[in-house]
Amino acid sequence: MTEQQVESVPTAEHHEGGFRPMQELSRDTSIGGPHYGELIEQVRGLMDRVRLSAPTDDVALDAIALLKELNGKLDEAVVDEWSAPTWRRHDLPSRGNITLPPFWVDRASPEGVHARITFRTFHLGGNGAAHGGHIALGFDDLLGMTAAVYAKQVTRTASLTVDYRSITPLNTELQVHAWVERQEGRKVYVRATLKDGERLCAEAHGLFIVLKPGQA
């Protein structure tokens, strides 16, 4: 499921479908502090290295000790989802969301969304190509954003189909273009392409549902 709202509100207040209401969109980039982006980048670097690491037992034990210490430090910083920087840091790739492949949105309007996305070593599927599941994850978030911007309301993924047309390379900035084909009541039909220059890597189409007030 894709959350397209980016402003935190107290947990006692209403969250439509578990998402933040569209009208509470925020560009506050202070949450998490000035070094939050570097923290995210270092974690992504760790994920890349672990994806292809084959450590000796001594190296593994040293790394485990360091990770336990780090997790202990981060335990002190854990907050609820409405207070976390995730989804809210528009100055960072993927709005600061570590679970998504990093992307930058260049334009987002009712006419569509244009973004640049990079699948890193962590997203490896095999033989130097990005894993199809990570490609679908990127599509899901960007298609959901497209539907929400078009409808100006909270949306939730109903279906998503991805057609893989050619190899999607790693560590290469790729272009995503997503747009709404039509809206029928609460149903928003969206399409998108993923390209490496002029070469089509994948395309997707999805159905997103505009939530009713209070709907989960």
Side-chain angles (χ1 to χ4, degrees):
M1 300 304 176
T2 304
E3 179 185 5
Q4 304 307 329
Q5 290 62 58
V6 293
E7 170 63 1
S8 176
V9 293
T11 53
E13 296 186 12
H14 170 62
H15 302 122
E16 297 185 36
F19 300 151
R20 299 175 180 90
M22 285 292 291
Q23 64 269 25
E24 295 181 1
L25 186 70
S26 171
R27 297 287 172 174
D28 180 13
T29 59
S30 64
I31 186 169
H35 296 102
Y36 182 74
E38 178 61 21
L39 172 62
I40 291 298
E41 178 57 31
Q42 290 299 322
V43 173
R44 287 195 185 277
L46 173 65
M47 293 160 61
D48 289 337
R49 289 166 175 81
V50 171
R51 178 66 179 85
L52 291 180
S53 67
T56 65
D57 198 48
D58 286 342
V59 171
L61 289 171
D62 287 345
I64 289 168
L66 290 171
L67 288 169
K68 285 183 176 179
E69 181 181 358
L70 176 60
N71 285 332
K73 289 182 180 295
L74 291 177
D75 278 341
E76 302 172 3
V78 172
V79 296
D80 63 79
E81 68 173 285
W82 309 109
S83 303
T86 296
W87 306 106
R88 302 170 64 184
R89 289 292 299 264
H90 286 263
D91 58 321
L92 301 177
S94 302
R95 306 185 300 284
N97 188 345
I98 193 68
T99 66
L100 294 174
F103 64 76
W104 291 103
V105 174
D106 294 318
R107 298 194 301 279
S109 73
E111 284 69 48
V113 169
H114 293 265
R116 292 166 286 127
I117 191 168
T118 302
F119 297 96
R120 297 175 54 144
T121 303
F122 173 75
H123 306 112
L124 173 65
N127 199 25
H131 192 289
H134 290 297
I135 295 170
L137 177 61
F139 270 136
D140 184 43
D141 194 77
L142 288 165
L143 283 168
M145 178 188 300
T146 303
V149 170
Y150 182 90
K152 296 182 175 62
Q153 298 181 72
V154 179
T155 65
R156 186 180 284 275
T157 312
S159 66
L160 177 67
T161 300
V162 179
D163 295 310
Y164 302 95
R165 301 305 187 187
S166 63
I167 292 297
T168 298
L170 297 177
N171 300 306
T172 302
E173 189 172 78
L174 309 171
Q175 300 77 45
V176 176
H177 177 209
W179 66 95
V180 172
E181 287 193 310
R182 67 188 188 279
Q183 181 173 359
E184 299 174 356
R186 294 169 54 215
K187 297 179 179 179
V188 185
Y189 295 88
V190 191
R191 294 191 67 89
T193 58
L194 172 68
K195 291 185 175 182
D196 179 12
E198 294 300 315
R199 182 172 60 86
L200 180 63
C201 299
E203 54 188 336
H205 61 271
L207 169 61
F208 288 75
I209 305 298
V210 173
L211 298 183
K212 297 177 182 179
Q215 186 177 23

